[in-house]
């Protein structure tokens, strides 16, 4: 028996899918903002000469990067309450994704820091700038330019990872798509539309970052 | 007459390797001192200690009456606070072999950064001043170029403008022409000569013996972490007192 495509049902539920997408984006943005700040601090810790900074930082990054994110999501939502830390499902997921983002962004930033010549720091010191001023005015701006290309794929991965929130019933795009699928039985149509929404969003993120990269490019 | 810079018994180790083994020297206001010596003799390290880019284990460096980097209280020698050291670093300017311009800032912005962050100037004031210094090194019309758009000689001149804009009491030059193509060396030396003529106190590490001979009032020959010989360049180059200097001069491109 043939399956005839019929998008009517999905079309009627489009608003629900878009709401899901909005929540997906919100989850990603908040987690990425937290992860960027903590990841930056962690990147400097990884590069520090002090063992009591670089050791714990390395342990953190290694552990988190070797855990499947779904395991982290389930652990935060189901196991942490047993240990007295109970969060709502959205808060729990954002915190988990932020923990994950921190580790990945720390690696990206560390790689970006690696290529900045020591001489620039010394030139800054020689003028009389403090290390904090050098970080803010020289190191971080250069590091961000270095990392934009690889940052793009990391941010897109983190956005896609929001679909795992469906596992704990956070009403983001994947969760809504599954709901519509169950209610309307339009299996193929629902997943085609949801997939297109993911692909379109990722393309927009990539385009925005490419535009930023061009804007920040150093003339030579 | 009292000195602007006074160094006594300077010792510097990297791990267990002693690189400076007791350096004593003094530099008067407006004096130009050239530092020569073979590779690895400690010339760079000496300059870097004066600017506290390197810690040192013993000895005193006093600039214009202030002890640089360390203080001794109740017989205990301590490194000064990072903030105090940063302030002291601004008292000396340094130009490096590799220029080290900030690549994401224009020539003018490179010069302005210290003025805005440390001298608390507005961007407009800093820009005006930066333009004066860039003009001074002959690069006013390149003010809005990025380092990647400038030749090596131009980059080095911007780096010198960046350092002197902070109005240091002492300028340190570490082989500032070594990374340049031969045809670009002259323009940089010309700028340094101009600063010397204006009375800037400076210590310059150089392999340009002819230049040392021409601008330096005094030459210091570093040899194995100590000052092997020092004096008036004309006398020293003509009649070296030590075997080592004689050998060094013979091997260098002076003649
Ligand atoms: N960061 C460092 N760590 C270990 N050894 C160093 C370091 N910097 C310089 N040295 C050593 O110190 C000695 C003097 O170096 P340097 O001051 O650069 O000499 P010069 O400028 O006269 O060529 C050399 O033997 C060099 O290998
Ligand atoms: Mg050297």
């Amino acid at each position: 028996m043939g399956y005839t495509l019929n998008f009517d049902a999905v079309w009627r539920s489009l608003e629900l899918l878009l709401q899901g997408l909005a929540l997906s984006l919100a989850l990603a943005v908040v987690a990425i903002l937290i992860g960027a700040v903590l990841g930056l601090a962690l990147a400097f810790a990884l590069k520090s000469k002090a063992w009591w900074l670089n050791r714990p930082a390395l342990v953190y990054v290694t552990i988190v990067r070797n855990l499947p994110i779904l395991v982290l999501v389930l652990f935060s939502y189901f196991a942490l309450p047993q240990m007295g830390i109970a969060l709502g499902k959205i808060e729990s997921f954002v915190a988990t994704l932020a923990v994950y983002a921190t580790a990945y962004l720390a690696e990206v930033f560390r790689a970006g820091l690696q290529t900045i010549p020591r001489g620039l720091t010394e030139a800054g010191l020689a003028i009389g700038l403090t290390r904090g001023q050098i970080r803010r005015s020289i190191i971080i701006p250069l590091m961000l330019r270095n990392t934009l290309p690889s940052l793009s794929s990391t941010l897109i991965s983190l956005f896609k990872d929001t679909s795992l929130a469906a596992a704990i019933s956070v009403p983001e795009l994947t969760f809504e798509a599954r709901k519509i699928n169950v209610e309307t039985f339009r299996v193929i149509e629902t997943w085609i539309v949801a997939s297109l929404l993911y692909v379109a969003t990722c393309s927009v993120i990539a385009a925005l970052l490419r535009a930023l990269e061009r804007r920040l490019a150093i003339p030579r | 007459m009292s000195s602007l810079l006074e160094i006594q018994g300077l010792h510097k180790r990297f791990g267990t390797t002693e690189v400076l083994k007791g350096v004593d020297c003094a530099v008067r206001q407006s004096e130009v001192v050239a530092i020569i010596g073979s590779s690895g003799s400690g010339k760079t390290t000496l300059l870097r200690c004066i600017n506290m880019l390197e810690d040192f284990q013993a000895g005193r460096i006093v600039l214009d009456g202030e002890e640089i980097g360390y203080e001794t209280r109740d017989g205990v020698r301590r490194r000064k606070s990072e903030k105090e050291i940063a302030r002291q670093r601004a008292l000396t300017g340094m130009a490096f072999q590799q220029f080290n311009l900030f690549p994401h800032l224009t020539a003018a912005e490179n010069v302005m950064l210290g003025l805005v962050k440390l001298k608390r100037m507005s961007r407009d004031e800093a820009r005006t001043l930066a333009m004066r210094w860039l003009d001074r090194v002959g690069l006013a019309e390149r003010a809005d170029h990025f380092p990647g758009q400038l030749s090596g000689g131009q980059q080095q001149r911007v780096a010198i403008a960046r350092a002197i804009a902070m109005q240091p009491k002492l300028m340190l030059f570490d082989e500032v022409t070594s990374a340049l193509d031969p045809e670009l060396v002259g323009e940089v030396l010309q700028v340094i000569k101009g600063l010397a003529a204006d009375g800037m106190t400076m210590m310059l590490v150089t392999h340009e013996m002819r230049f040392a001979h021409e601008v330096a009032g005094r030459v210091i020959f570093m040899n194995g972490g100590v000052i092997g010989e020092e004096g008036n360049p004309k006398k020293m180059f003509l009649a070296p007192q030590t075997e080592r200097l004689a050998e060094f001069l013979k091997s260098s491109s002076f003649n």
Side-chain angles (χ1 to χ4, degrees), chain B residues 5-7 10 49-50 56 59-63 66-68:
Chain B
L5 177 76
E6 206 154 334
I7 300 176
L10 179 60
C49 286
I50 296 171
F56 50 92
R60 277 160 52 88
I61 298 176
V62 179
L63 178 66
E66 290 194 34
E67 179 164 1
I68 298 293

Side-chain angles (χ1 to χ4, degrees), chain A residues 32-33 109 140-152 155 203-219:
Chain A
I32 285 167
L33 286 179
F109 291 154
I140 292 175
L142 286 172
M143 179 276 283
L144 283 179
R145 285 173 172 84
N146 286 345
T147 49
L148 273 176
S150 54
L151 203 54
S152 179
L155 296 189
S203 309
V204 169
I205 296 173
L208 285 175
L209 283 167
R210 266 200 309 277
L212 184 64
E213 200 181 324
R214 271 196 303 276
R215 225 186 108 78
L216 292 180
I218 301 166

Side-chain angles (χ1 to χ4, degrees), chain A residues 5-14 186 189:
Chain A
L5 287 178
N6 181 344
F7 283 93
D8 288 352
V10 183
W11 219 239
R12 277 192 302 274
S13 312
L14 187 62
R186 305 311 309 184
E189 295 86 339

Side-chain angles (χ1 to χ4, degrees), chain A residues 17-52:
Chain A
L17 286 177
L18 290 177
Q19 273 171 18
L21 175 61
L23 182 58
S24 294
L25 272 171
L27 296 172
V29 166
V30 175
I32 285 167
L33 286 179
I34 299 171
V37 172
L38 298 180
L40 190 58
L42 207 59
F44 281 111
L46 283 169
K47 279 210 64 200
S48 163
K49 277 186 221 127
W51 66 267
W52 51 272

